[in-house]
Amino acid sequence: MSNEIVSTEWLESHLGSPDIAILDASWHLPTAKRDPRQEFLAAHIPGAQIFDVDELSDTSSLLPHMLPTPEKFSSRMRKLGVGDGKRVIAYDAAGLFSAARCWWMFKHFGHDDVAVLDGGLRKWLAEGRPIEDGPARKPQERHFTARTRPSMVRDMKEVAAALASGSAHVADARSATRFRGEEAEPRPGVRVGHMPGAHNVHYASLLNPDGTLKTPEAIAEVFRSAGIDLAKPVITSCGSGITAAILTLGLTLAGAKDHALYDGSWTEWGGNPDAEVATGH
């Protein structure tokens, strides 16, 4: 199995291991009306800490959960007991929805020893594996050093330039109906449609029915069938930079070497009246 994902069997056999840090990175669309903290209190994997995607962001930005500063990330990780030399395992309640964002953030901040729990809490519960409730155990603080990798992230200007020149493919992880502009966006003030020239690769097309990731070969075929050449640079995007990370994880598993994530994603692009928008296929 790839270093980027671990199985539920593997994680259960490593519960309590001193060099493992388990993070519940559950996050839901505003329209879902779900509270990840309340759900964590009701049931979480033993020893897990809460990785709050919204709080662990640049809270001065008008855009949702943009990357925080390295200083803020380091400070929060120390408090969670995540440090240099710890292997981070991220999971979420949906199966695989927001855990990949946590994985990508650690990669961006220079911590490569991070993996996603394949199938997430949904699979864990379905298999009757151990859970605990109540608040997270108090962790022992650890030293964490964040070193940013700017090559892993793109801004709006860079995405627009890549689309204009054709120097990179843009893969949009939103559903086909949102991509085509047939469904309202979940955030007010954001237009419907997609970036002209973008390719639609719904994040769910990378997953098996049980929420686990498809094989690297099958993932590569999903991208190819969407018109994306994995030998060419790829920029991943979605609604707000969450499920784009699932595409980034998929690209990594499929062996693609040159890819980055558009952090502002459609919330920024569709919310900018000067940005060109396309609808339909």
Side-chain angles (χ1 to χ4, degrees):
M1 185 172 275
S2 164
N3 290 335
E4 314 300 343
I5 52 174
V6 298
S7 66
T8 49
E9 292 84 357
W10 183 92
L11 184 56
E12 185 175 5
S13 71
H14 287 79
L15 286 179
S17 175
D19 60 347
I20 295 285
I22 304 170
L23 300 180
D24 184 325
S26 298
W27 179 89
H28 307 285
L29 279 167
T31 47
K33 304 276 192 289
R34 288 177 65 175
D35 184 340
R37 286 184 177 269
Q38 287 302 318
E39 291 182 21
F40 180 91
L41 291 172
H44 56 265
I45 294 175
Q49 301 289 327
I50 293 175
F51 184 96
D52 186 333
V53 171
D54 284 328
E55 198 282 324
L56 267 160
S57 67
D58 175 3
T59 47
S60 69
S61 173
L62 295 176
L63 295 167
H65 38 253
M66 295 288 280
L67 280 167
T69 63
E71 293 76 18
K72 178 173 181 177
F73 193 79
S74 292
S75 165
R76 297 297 191 274
M77 291 311 102
R78 281 198 289 269
K79 289 185 173 66
L80 289 180
V82 179
D84 304 330
K86 279 254 189 183
R87 184 165 200 213
V88 176
I89 309 299
Y91 76 87
D92 65 59
L96 182 53
F97 186 71
S98 51
R101 172 74 185 191
C102 174
W103 167 87
W104 175 78
M105 287 175 71
F106 273 100
K107 294 278 187 182
H108 172 74
F109 287 116
H111 190 92
D112 280 325
D113 204 0
V114 56
V116 170
L117 178 64
D118 205 15
L121 185 63
R122 205 176 76 185
K123 186 169 189 280
W124 184 274
L125 293 172
E127 293 167 349
R129 298 187 189 276
I131 56 164
E132 59 185 21
D133 57 13
R137 303 173 194 172
K138 182 154 179 58
Q140 185 177 351
E141 289 200 19
R142 299 273 299 235
H143 179 70
F144 186 94
T145 313
R147 304 176 189 85
T148 58
R149 288 176 172 145
S151 64
M152 290 185 63
V153 64
R154 294 286 180 271
D155 62 22
M156 186 173 178
K157 195 176 289 184
E158 291 168 322
V159 175
L163 285 166
S165 67
S167 61
H169 288 301
V170 172
D172 187 327
R174 293 175 303 151
S175 67
T177 48
R178 283 177 68 188
F179 181 83
R180 293 194 298 259
E182 297 164 2
E183 182 186 340
E185 284 297 305
R187 292 179 179 82
V190 178
R191 293 172 294 166
V192 300
H194 60 267
M195 296 168 236
H199 299 257
N200 188 206
V201 186
H202 188 208
Y203 75 88
S205 64
L206 271 56
L207 306 178
N208 295 309
D210 65 353
T212 57
L213 282 150
K214 291 179 178 176
T215 65
E217 297 75 22
I219 289 171
E221 183 50 41
V222 169
F223 280 100
R224 277 194 295 268
S225 64
I228 291 173
D229 178 0
L230 296 188
K232 192 174 176 178
V234 182
I235 299 169
T236 62
S237 179
C238 60
S240 63
I242 298 287
T243 58
I246 300 174
L247 299 192
T248 298
L249 176 59
L251 288 165
T252 303
L253 293 172
K257 300 288 184 238
D258 191 345
H259 50 84
L261 186 147
Y262 173 24
D263 205 17
S265 280
W266 188 250
T267 300
E268 180 177 36
W269 191 285
N272 185 331
D274 297 326
E276 201 178 335
V277 167
T279 54
H281 290 283

